[in-house]
Amino acid sequence: MIYILLSIICNIVVSILLKLARRYEISVPQAIVWNYAVASLLTYAFYKPSFTTINWASAPIAVFILLAILLPSLFIILGLSVRYTGIVRTDLAQRLSLFIPLLFTFLILNEPVSILKSVGISIGFIAILCTIPWHKTPLKNKGAVLNWLYPLLVFVGMGIIDLFFKQIAAFTQLQYTTSLFIIFLFAFAIAVLVLIIAILSGKTKFRIINLFCGIILGVFNFGNILFYLKAHRDLPNNPSVVFSAMNIGVIIAGALIGVYLFKEKLSKINRIGIFLAILAIFILYLAK
């Protein structure tokens, strides 16, 4: 369970860094570039991916490229979501995105649907509606639209990425860690290209502080994945325990940090949403 705790800590630190980016005038897009450089280096250092036996003709290159585009794009959306809607709602949207691959499994792969699974999914979607900050400002204002749009993009984006990762994991001709290294490397290349274009067009300027922030971001982003994988290796016969404990831990930790560190205000319905989120994940754990 220590690996789950370490993964939760790394995950929350990433959210905190994104939250602090605006306060210290950090460019999230620039930080993301160096984040993937560090993640690539650490993945190579820890897992020593091998490329000698790769059959590139059958490898899911298209999925690699799509993930390489989606990952940095979603990172930017995560930063905007944390900035405009808070760490609690962003983490909830991120964690509850698990319902997208679940629905895909039930509807496309025809996995049997039990009563507990149906109840858990229903409560989860109600929890998402409850965590949207409807109470802040009228929806006709632009700010109010962003208040629910960013968490929605996080929810959908994370769900799609999870489906792609499941496809990568199903490609048995290539080790998952090697695929992860390739994806990080592709993401870094795409992010660097975008950054160079932005600098040459005068839309942004290179700042050393963004490099340092990106290094820190990359360490904890990689740590989140590393300890999560180690938790699954430590409990190979109980993946649902790892997944459920991870999600519940992040929701609780995110709520505590958002409220007590950043003084975020939650309405009663938001608090109900957090409770329902935990309840939904617990029910799905029982359904497994």
Side-chain angles (χ1 to χ4, degrees), residues 58-166:
S58 61
I61 301 298
V63 178
F64 287 161
I65 295 174
L66 287 172
L67 279 171
I69 295 173
L70 284 173
L71 285 173
S73 300
L74 190 63
F75 230 137
I76 294 175
I77 294 173
L78 278 169
L80 294 171
S81 182
V82 170
R83 177 187 299 181
Y84 290 108
T85 71
I87 192 172
V88 179
R89 300 180 186 96
T90 300
D91 278 325
L92 279 168
Q94 183 178 356
R95 291 301 140 190
L96 292 176
S97 63
L98 68 95
F99 294 109
I100 291 180
L102 281 177
L103 287 175
F104 178 84
T105 300
F106 296 145
L107 300 178
I108 306 299
L109 302 182
N110 297 319
E111 179 179 324
V113 181
S114 66
I115 295 177
L116 278 179
K117 289 179 182 178
S118 301
V119 171
I121 291 175
S122 300
I123 293 177
F125 280 112
I126 294 173
I128 293 173
L129 293 175
C130 289
T131 55
I132 295 175
W134 306 104
H135 63 284
K136 280 194 171 182
T137 49
L139 286 179
K140 63 181 180 180
N141 294 339
K142 181 181 179 180
V145 174
L146 297 181
N147 278 340
W148 64 264
L149 178 61
Y150 286 134
L152 179 62
L153 290 175
V154 170
F155 173 74
V156 174
M158 289 298 297
I160 293 175
I161 286 175
D162 189 52
L163 288 176
F164 280 147
F165 270 126
K166 287 181 182 296

